[in-house]
Amino acid sequence: MYNRRKFIQTSALGISAAIATGNKARAQEGLSKSPVVISTWDAGLEANKAAWAVLSANGRALDAVERGVMVTEDSLSCCVGLGANPDRDGLVTLDACIMDEAFNCGAVAFLERIKHPISVARRVMEKTPHVMLVGEGAQQFALAEGFSLEPQQLSESAQRSYREWLQKSNYRSPRINVENQKEHGPFAPAKLSSGEWNHDTIGMLALDAFGNLSGSCTTSGAGFKMRGRIGDSPIIGAGLYVDNEVGACVATGQGEDVIRVAGSSAVVEAMRSGKSPEAACRQLIERVVRIKKEKAKDIQVAFLAIDKKGAVGSFSIHPGFSYALRTADQEKLVVAKSYFK
Ligand code: SD4
């Protein structure tokens, strides 16, 4: 009798055989044999572990990029998720998006009091005819989907930095990863007690054992932003883009300047025309620098990309951006090259 156990065994064998055949074909085409996951900033190391647990068990890249960034959303010591810096009215508002190998995508923006915006973005993708929900509507949808409403309560570090910010209440564009808050003002990220720099975004890209790409991006946006401000991170084509035939890209840094060049989509197009992931990221950084002229000195933008073969690369305006890489035989933080030295 073809019982359930046998079905599971047969399916498991089927999956391994499919992966083995897939690996052979991919090796012949010069594609990566192992899954790969990359994510932005130091927090990516922890996030990659959760993603790797999915990828190494032959799970989907889509599940990996959701699970991975949930770790960062959960961590109150980091400024992604509800522990993040608030807007200038003292309220935390969250943005996120996700995209799979078949151009399916979902996003939420200006979402309050929900712990895992990335999972709400995935539900938007899977359960609605839309790509993006914002604000109250996004929150209502999340509640209808069973997410719980968390208290609007700032973490201790966010309370501290908000109190400091209120002393001057001076709104200006965020300066991301500029390494001296005293010199560069309250918009530079805080140094954690661990000595790491605190960033407000994580972007993650994964290639799974089936050769499929997916990506995710989740953020509290710029600390002390104007109420209602939305950056690049939840915008498909700006903060994230995935084209399974070519590659994928995710952005971090000053969102306004990523949106104006349709950043992640443009990096994927540069890879389509034959550029390596690093060369493609560099081309877009050079474009941003050209557009911003003198002001490029004051902003940080970084792109991180992977191509269909599993090659990865990154480029930023200023030094200080790093990304976390995990494959079957590597787990490390890589310092990206930058336009200014
Ligand atoms: C934004 N791109 O909201 C985000 C901020 C960011 O590390 O990446 N911070 O503009």
Side-chain angles (χ1 to χ4, degrees):
M1 200 177 113
Y2 197 77
N3 59 26
R4 187 176 141 75
R5 188 151 167 213
K6 187 134 192 167
F7 170 76
I8 290 169
Q9 280 171 352
T10 315
S11 317
L13 281 174
I15 290 171
S16 333
I19 289 170
T21 318
N23 277 348
K24 207 168 150 203
R26 288 167 60 207
Q28 277 161 2
E29 286 174 53
L31 306 181
S32 168
K33 274 179 264 145
S34 154
V36 182
V37 58
I38 45 177
S39 54
T40 58
W41 305 110
D42 326 19
L45 281 174
E46 277 312 297
N48 282 1
K49 287 189 201 307
W52 188 254
V54 176
L55 293 170
S56 58
N58 298 326
R60 276 183 81 187
L62 180 68
D63 293 322
V65 297
E66 180 188 8
R67 264 347 134 65
V69 303
M70 283 173 78
V71 169
T72 327
E73 287 178 340
D74 257 333
S75 139
L76 285 183
S77 66
C78 183
C79 26
V80 172
L82 293 172
N85 282 332
D87 65 15
R88 64 185 190 180
D89 290 5
L91 301 165
V92 174
T93 70
L94 304 172
D95 303 334
C97 73
I98 194 160
M99 189 161 185
D100 76 3
E101 75 282 357
F103 297 98
N104 297 306
C105 44
V108 289
F110 195 46
L111 177 64
E112 292 176 284
R113 300 177 57 185
I114 300 289
K115 200 174 197 176
H116 289 299
I118 196 64
S119 303
V120 186
R122 183 168 175 174
R123 300 282 176 97
V124 173
M125 169 176 111
E126 290 177 339
K127 296 201 163 177
T128 79
H130 308 303
V131 166
M132 184 181 241
L133 293 178
V134 306
E136 209 183 307
Q139 194 189 66
Q140 271 170 17
F141 171 70
L143 297 181
E145 283 295 310
F147 290 82
S148 41
L149 199 59
E150 307 292 336
Q152 177 62 274
Q153 198 179 16
L154 296 184
S155 67
E156 264 176 44
S157 69
Q159 280 179 37
R160 230 183 0 259
S161 43
Y162 185 52
R163 269 198 305 272
E164 278 169 27
W165 180 81
L166 279 174
Q167 287 170 11
K168 287 193 185 152
S169 302
N170 171 19
Y171 183 77
R172 61 174 208 200
S173 299
R175 298 175 57 109
I176 288 149
N177 106 261
V178 179
E179 295 202 8
N180 184 332
Q181 263 190 305
K182 287 228 166 55
E183 190 186 327
H184 298 291
F187 302 101
K191 200 163 195 174
L192 301 174
S193 47
S194 63
E196 287 166 357
W197 291 95
N198 206 355
H199 304 289
D200 35 46
T201 302
I202 182 161
M204 179 177 276
L205 305 170
L207 175 69
D208 65 25
F210 302 94
N212 286 326
L213 290 165
S214 290
S216 62
C217 189
T218 179
T219 187
S220 57
F224 321 116
K225 60 195 173 186
M226 288 177 72
R227 185 142 179 83
R229 180 265 187 192
I230 292 168
D232 60 315
S233 303
I235 299 179
I236 297 294
L240 172 70
Y241 198 67
V242 179
D243 181 330
N244 207 41
E245 283 186 2
V246 177
C249 177
V250 72
T252 183
Q254 185 151 304
E256 286 73 5
D257 294 310
V258 175
I259 295 172
R260 64 180 111 248
V261 294
S264 291
S265 156
V267 168
V268 170
E269 288 314 303
M271 289 194 284
R272 196 193 305 280
S273 67
K275 288 212 171 344
S276 70
E278 183 184 304
C281 292
R282 183 189 189 124
Q283 183 176 63
L284 260 291
I285 289 296
E286 286 171 352
R287 191 174 298 168
V288 174
V289 170
R290 213 163 44 241
I291 292 168
K292 296 298 284 185
K293 302 192 178 82
E294 270 305 292
K295 290 183 184 152
K297 292 209 179 74
D298 294 332
I299 57 157
Q300 176 64 304
V301 170
F303 293 108
L304 173 63
I306 183 168
D307 72 12
K308 187 64 190 160
K309 295 181 176 175
V312 303
S314 180
F315 211 81
S316 58
I317 298 183
H318 292 280
F321 173 66
S322 47
Y323 66 91
L325 165 73
R326 179 90 197 244
T327 64
D329 46 22
Q330 294 187 80
E331 181 174 20
K332 60 180 182 184
L333 205 58
V334 183
V335 175
K337 292 187 192 150
S338 55
Y339 183 90
F340 293 110
K341 301 296 169 220

